[in-house]
Amino acid sequence: MSVRALWIISHEKTKNVSVRFSRRFSTVEHRARSLAGSSYVAVPDDNTVLQLLLNELGLSHPDKAYVTVRDDCLYRQRSPALELRVDSPGKGILWPVLAITQGPLILSCLPLVDAPPDPRPPLANLLCVSQGLTLLAGLQTFLLGSGSKPDTEGLALRLAMLPSVLLQVCPLGTPLDVPPHGSPAIPTMHIPAGNQKQPAWKTGLHRGRAMVNVTLKETVRSMQYGNQSRQDLWDVYGTVKCKCEMEGVLPNVTVTLILPPNGSPLQDILVHPCVTSLDSSILTASSVDDCDGSAFSGPYKFPFSPPLESFTLCSYTSQVPVPPILGCYQLKNEENHLRVSVTLKLHESVKNSFEFCEAHLPFFNRDQIGFADVKVSSGQLDVSKEKNLLVWSLGQRFPKSREVTMEGKISFIGPTPGPTDPLCTDLTAYIKLCFKVPDMTLSGCCVDQHSVQVYSSAKPRIVTSRELQSEEYFIWNSTGTAPVYDASVWWTRAQFTM
């Protein structure tokens, strides 16, 4: 969240209404100009903003009994997110101008909306509005205190301190913090992440018991062809996300990843910049090179100074011997219908307890499904509302044999054509598996709750969890053609975002 401009307006004496303080941020304005393009509306001078703001708030012309812009029944109060209609050169609408009023002051700012102006995004979807209002509320507390208004000299003193205060709390237009009421405005150096206090502008200030939450998530992708002439592909990508919720200063933390004795070393490890130190051998293993078995196999220790928000501590890949679910899909043309045969087998190393597990059978470039005379050995089969997708819900467990089957025939009727895909012509078809397995990772990697170290006098609650989830998990029709992926680019470092 960034601010294009900020105004402090005094209106205690209606005859002496004036802008007591204003600040514009040229770097943010440059970003606003780039985002808006031809729709860009420049921020006018302070006097123009003052008149427009007073009109919009209904505070102009106090000596007149009736003013159309203020008193007409068609006037809609839009506070605290206002529209200012600029009639000067470069005319247009400034939105959303945020304003709050207390005692002798009006505090207002124009946040940067990181979205194209047309169509205008819904106000409820803009995080900059809530954060901008919280910033103004923090400055309001600094200037006027939490309750009673200060004397004239006290207010003048704090207004004089604002330039130095903004250097600390809003450098280059990006709010970082708001000083408590009455604190001296002494410029300070940048504080390391581990010593940061919860900023006053941040919504959802943590209250209650301190907590460190560590979530390990592995995503498995697979391409299975059921054909010996084509190599099946699968791989695992893992991320570790952390969230430290504490009052006051955040302590230093160490998270340790542990592999089972026979586990494959983690590869392609990328870490967040907040990690303070790391064994160089952790970063050397790469999926691009042949693994010689001598790679570092853990435990993987990550000491860090946590930032204030939830963040991805590290990411990695892992080579596993088999995919979690092996499948065979056969689709054949028989007169005026298709004969379908599917077998799915859950590997013995995978926990047989799913949060959900579904097999989607889409039929592209065909009419709607007329009827599906199909039997399944386990689960439930449904036809989607679009009539071109069979959804096989396998529930939360495979049967004791860990194998399920589908057999039957499917016919299609018009007149509504289904979705098209240039790749899925004739018998080129696939099954897409969607599943999630809680409390498990395919590599065996885990975060031991007792291995999370928090260097603080407080005793935070440590919460760890892990899960395995599918993504782009395809089983292609073995009797048709299928696009073949290049194994050398199956996983690339470009996909790893922190």
Side-chain angles (χ1 to χ4, degrees):
M1 177 263 181
S2 298
V3 177
R4 295 172 61 183
L6 174 71
W7 299 275
I8 310 295
I9 299 171
S10 173
H11 73 105
E12 184 176 19
K13 297 179 180 179
T14 55
K15 294 183 179 180
N16 296 320
V17 176
S18 62
V19 177
R20 297 287 297 273
F21 177 86
S22 68
R23 180 57 49 90
R24 296 152 190 265
F25 300 95
S26 57
T27 54
V28 183
E29 196 65 17
H30 177 74
R31 290 162 55 194
R33 186 181 295 107
S34 300
L35 285 169
S38 59
S39 303
Y40 169 72
V41 179
V43 180
D45 60 83
D46 289 349
N47 288 332
T48 302
V49 171
L50 175 62
Q51 296 304 318
L52 294 174
L53 194 59
L54 292 177
N55 286 339
E56 190 67 18
L57 292 175
L59 299 175
S60 60
H61 309 291
D63 54 332
K64 295 184 179 181
Y66 178 83
V67 177
T68 301
V69 72
R70 182 188 67 193
D71 302 317
D72 191 274
C73 63
L74 297 178
Y75 174 78
R76 294 180 299 166
Q77 179 63 266
R78 300 181 179 90
S79 179
L82 311 173
E83 287 184 357
L84 300 188
R85 299 181 179 274
V86 182
D87 294 328
S88 58
K91 62 182 181 179
I93 297 177
L94 288 179
W95 179 88
V97 179
L98 309 178
I100 58 177
T101 304
Q102 181 180 346
L105 296 181
I106 299 174
L107 293 88
S108 179
C109 71
L110 176 61
L112 174 68
V113 178
D114 289 323
D118 189 22
R120 179 181 292 182
L123 198 63
N125 293 351
L126 298 179
L127 183 60
C128 65
V129 172
S130 60
Q131 291 183 335
L133 289 172
T134 313
L135 170 64
L136 293 180
L139 291 177
Q140 180 187 58
T141 302
F142 172 74
L143 293 171
L144 300 176
S146 57
S148 60
K149 65 179 182 179
D151 55 42
T152 305
E153 293 182 1
L155 177 58
L157 176 62
R158 288 175 174 80
L159 284 170
M161 295 166 63
L162 269 184
S164 297
V165 169
L166 287 178
L167 287 177
Q168 301 177 56
V169 303
C170 196
L172 301 179
T174 301
L176 300 179
D177 200 354
V178 173
H181 171 60
S183 65
I186 301 175
T188 58
M189 300 297 290
H190 175 70
I191 302 174
N195 296 327
Q196 291 185 56
K197 291 185 177 181
Q198 189 84 348
W201 62 266
K202 187 177 178 65
T203 56
L205 187 66
H206 178 71
R207 301 295 183 194
R209 184 177 177 182
M211 178 183 295
V212 177
N213 195 320
V214 184
T215 302
L216 194 159
K217 176 181 178 180
E218 284 191 351
T219 301
V220 57
R221 302 200 303 180
S222 181
M223 285 283 177
Q224 300 177 34
Y225 300 102
N227 191 323
Q228 294 183 353
S229 63
R230 298 169 183 162
Q231 181 184 3
D232 291 348
L233 299 173
W234 62 89
D235 214 332
V236 175
Y237 168 51
T239 58
V240 180
K241 293 189 176 182
C242 297
K243 173 67 174 176
C244 297
E245 297 180 332
M246 300 184 187
E247 293 187 49
V249 176
L250 296 181
N252 292 323
V253 181
T254 297
V255 170
T256 303
L257 302 185
I258 302 173
L259 286 174
N262 59 345
S264 299
L266 303 183
Q267 301 174 335
D268 304 318
I269 297 178
L270 297 178
V271 299
H272 192 276
C274 72
V275 175
T276 54
S277 63
L278 199 63
D279 189 339
S280 59
S281 59
I282 293 179
L283 304 176
T284 56
S286 172
S287 58
V288 177
D289 305 322
D290 293 332
C291 184
D292 58 3
S294 62
F296 184 81
S297 59
Y300 301 83
K301 292 182 178 292
F302 299 93
F304 59 93
S305 296
L308 298 167
E309 68 281 354
S310 177
F311 68 102
T312 300
L313 175 63
C314 69
S315 63
Y316 62 86
T317 65
S318 178
Q319 294 184 0
V320 294
V322 291
I325 298 178
L326 290 168
C328 179
Y329 180 29
Q330 292 185 338
L331 193 68
K332 299 178 180 179
N333 273 319
E334 292 186 359
E335 297 180 357
N336 59 347
H337 63 266
L338 294 178
R339 172 68 61 175
V340 60
S341 175
V342 181
T343 301
L344 301 177
K345 186 172 182 62
L346 179 67
H347 193 266
E348 59 185 10
S349 64
V350 180
K351 182 179 178 182
N352 192 4
S353 177
F354 293 82
E355 184 174 320
F356 63 85
C357 184
E358 292 182 347
H360 294 180
L361 286 74
F363 295 95
F364 294 98
N365 309 312
R366 297 180 185 272
D367 295 331
Q368 293 184 353
I369 296 176
F371 72 92
D373 184 12
V374 178
K375 294 182 179 180
V376 294
S377 63
S378 179
Q380 182 178 352
L381 190 66
D382 294 308
V383 179
S384 70
K385 294 181 179 180
E386 291 77 16
K387 302 297 184 181
N388 293 93
L389 174 69
L390 285 180
V391 179
W392 184 10
S393 178
L394 297 168
Q396 296 181 323
R397 293 184 63 87
F398 273 58
K400 190 174 182 180
S401 63
R402 288 179 170 255
E403 183 173 299
V404 294
T405 59
M406 171 194 292
E407 297 283 346
K409 56 185 180 180
I410 302 170
S411 65
F412 300 87
I413 58 172
T416 305
T420 60
D421 189 323
L423 292 178
C424 297
T425 58
D426 298 327
L427 292 178
T428 303
Y430 62 79
I431 295 175
K432 182 177 181 180
L433 292 184
C434 305
F435 59 85
K436 180 187 288 188
V437 186
D439 195 27
M440 181 198 165
T441 54
L442 204 57
S443 67
C445 185
C446 67
V447 179
D448 186 1
Q449 182 177 4
H450 301 289
S451 69
V452 179
Q453 298 175 313
V454 181
Y455 301 95
S456 171
S457 58
K459 294 183 179 180
R461 180 188 175 196
I462 308 297
V463 179
T464 61
S465 62
R466 59 178 181 166
E467 66 180 34
L468 174 68
Q469 188 167 351
S470 65
E471 179 182 326
E472 298 185 13
Y473 203 105
F474 295 102
I475 301 172
W476 290 89
N477 174 27
S478 60
T479 64
T481 57
V484 180
Y485 280 66
D486 184 354
S488 63
V489 296
W490 178 242
W491 285 109
T492 65
R493 282 181 175 265
Q495 293 173 294
F496 301 163
T497 57
M498 304 301 295

